[in-house]
Amino acid sequence: MLHSPSFDVEIKRYKEQQNAAVELVQIVSSLWYNQAVELVLFREQLVDEKISVILNHIRETRILTSHTLSISDVLNTARVLANSNLPPARIDIGKLTAESIKQGVNGRELSAFIFNELKGIHDYQELKPRDVVLYGFGRIGRLLARELISKSGSGKQLRLRAIVTRDPNDVKSLLKRAALLKSDSIHGEFEGEVYTDPEKNALLINGITVNVISAKQPEDIDYTAYGINNALVIDNTGAFRDENELARHLASKGASQVLLTAPGKGVPNIVYGVNESTIDLEKHAIFQQPPVRRMQLPRFCLLSKKK
């Protein structure tokens, strides 16, 4: 007759897993907010996730690898990464841990193994903060705002600085935009702070001032008046589709590149994971990266340029 573990034993085991997950969350958060290093688990986001969600992600890794991972395995890898001098990067801690187990790496060898696996991580140019403007604030624009704010980290990468709409500059319009950003009928509540600043005609999103600019056409905007320079303008309107139309954004002061989130014509198309490293960022100032499927967000690969 098989005997199941007692209730007390099961509670103790799960509490140990929870404590390990708490430490993992602390490491993930510290690396992200202080060093702009994002840890993912087989592409699943770990930043700002709940303990139960992280434990569930780890349990589900048995579907992806023949070597079942435990929270302690992942935590050991995270501890090594926390003590490494890492540049801004996105590291799949799941793949890294699975490979160490596959190769039979023991605890004493783990640091050397991870150092060898990440030896090319410093071959990329240091990321510089980049101002971003969302031109259009429909559903795609609002989801991009959520993504940009949640991925702002230490502020060393993409920084949402402004939103452009055709609404008038008044309190009613500002409150409407804040409400739509906070609550989405499909994607639910935005788990962050959203307040309005009528004096500046801006939204305060997680303590960050995001100017709301009213304009009927791109050429009329002077972004430098808001302290915005060398900005990446992400066009979510779908109103401008070809290179000539999108070039109107470059006529505004403070804008230097344009990214289209809808299918365009005659514009270099970035497919993340396929050709992002072949796009010449010095030669082209206008790109398109339309969602692959409904509501899938662009991956912002413009900052991933190798030396």
Side-chain angles (χ1 to χ4, degrees):
M1 181 177 177
L2 295 175
H3 294 281
S4 300
S6 68
F7 179 83
D8 291 337
V9 170
E10 289 180 329
I11 284 291
K12 182 180 178 182
R13 286 178 182 174
Y14 192 68
K15 187 177 291 185
E16 289 172 349
Q17 293 179 42
Q18 287 177 315
N19 288 334
V22 168
E23 184 180 348
L24 177 61
V25 167
Q26 292 172 338
I27 293 173
V28 167
S29 299
S30 178
L31 285 173
W32 175 239
Y33 291 111
N34 296 318
Q35 295 177 233
V37 175
E38 182 183 11
L39 299 186
V40 296
L41 186 82
F42 291 102
R43 298 188 178 184
E44 293 286 354
Q45 179 175 303
L46 296 179
V47 176
D48 292 335
E49 286 289 9
K50 297 178 180 178
I51 300 300
S52 58
V53 172
I54 289 177
L55 290 175
N56 191 52
H57 284 334
I58 292 174
R59 277 191 289 270
E60 290 179 347
T61 58
R62 63 180 180 272
I63 302 172
L64 303 171
T65 176
S66 57
H67 305 275
T68 304
L69 306 185
S70 68
I71 180 63
S72 59
D73 294 327
V74 177
L75 179 58
N76 287 335
T77 301
R79 285 169 174 165
V80 173
L81 294 174
N83 292 316
S84 304
N85 184 24
L86 298 172
R90 192 170 194 259
I91 300 172
D92 196 319
I93 195 173
K95 292 181 179 180
L96 200 57
T97 303
E99 186 62 26
S100 70
I101 294 173
K102 180 180 178 180
Q103 295 188 26
V105 177
N106 61 40
R108 289 174 296 179
E109 300 169 336
L110 187 59
S111 293
F113 167 80
I114 291 176
F115 178 81
N116 185 63
E117 288 291 303
L118 301 181
K119 60 185 178 183
I121 200 170
H122 292 278
D123 292 340
Y124 289 81
Q125 289 181 340
E126 182 180 353
L127 297 182
K128 296 181 179 179
R130 186 71 182 278
D131 290 345
V132 176
V133 174
L134 293 179
Y135 196 92
F137 205 53
R139 177 161 277 158
I140 289 290
R142 295 193 296 272
L143 291 179
L144 286 172
R146 290 186 178 197
E147 188 75 3
L148 284 163
I149 292 295
S150 67
K151 293 292 188 292
S152 59
S154 62
K156 296 179 180 179
Q157 301 185 58
L158 298 177
R159 308 185 302 183
L160 178 58
R161 300 294 309 281
I163 295 163
V164 180
T165 74
R166 295 175 66 89
D167 290 347
N169 286 335
D170 57 34
V171 175
K172 182 179 178 180
S173 297
L174 199 60
L175 289 172
K176 180 182 75 172
R177 294 298 175 185
L180 288 171
L181 175 61
K182 186 66 177 176
S183 301
D184 188 279
S185 58
I186 293 177
H187 300 276
E189 292 289 311
F190 170 58
E191 295 183 356
E193 298 178 341
V194 181
Y195 297 99
T196 60
D197 186 341
E199 285 190 17
K200 295 181 180 179
N201 201 61
L203 298 178
L204 287 174
I205 311 174
N206 286 358
I208 298 171
T209 298
V210 180
N211 297 285
V212 179
I213 303 171
S214 176
K216 293 184 178 181
Q217 52 189 13
E219 303 93 328
D220 295 340
I221 306 171
D222 180 1
Y223 293 116
T224 61
Y226 300 88
I228 300 170
N229 294 282
N230 189 35
L232 167 65
V233 178
I234 303 180
D235 189 308
N236 314 294
T237 64
F240 311 113
R241 296 294 187 94
D242 62 33
E243 187 170 8
N244 288 334
E245 291 175 335
L246 292 167
R248 295 172 61 186
H249 289 292
L250 300 177
S252 57
K253 294 182 180 179
S256 61
Q257 283 183 316
V258 183
L259 178 63
L260 173 65
T261 61
K265 299 177 182 179
V267 180
N269 188 17
I270 299 173
V271 181
Y272 189 84
V274 177
N275 71 341
E276 78 275 9
S277 62
T278 66
I279 300 294
D280 189 342
L281 301 181
E282 302 298 330
K283 181 179 178 182
H284 300 284
I286 301 173
F287 310 84
Q288 62 172 313
Q289 192 183 6
V292 177
R293 60 180 183 272
R294 186 172 182 267
M295 304 316 300
Q296 180 178 339
L297 300 179
R299 293 291 300 276
F300 306 124
C301 55
L302 291 178
L303 297 180
S304 303
K305 184 182 176 186
K306 283 188 177 182
K307 287 181 177 178

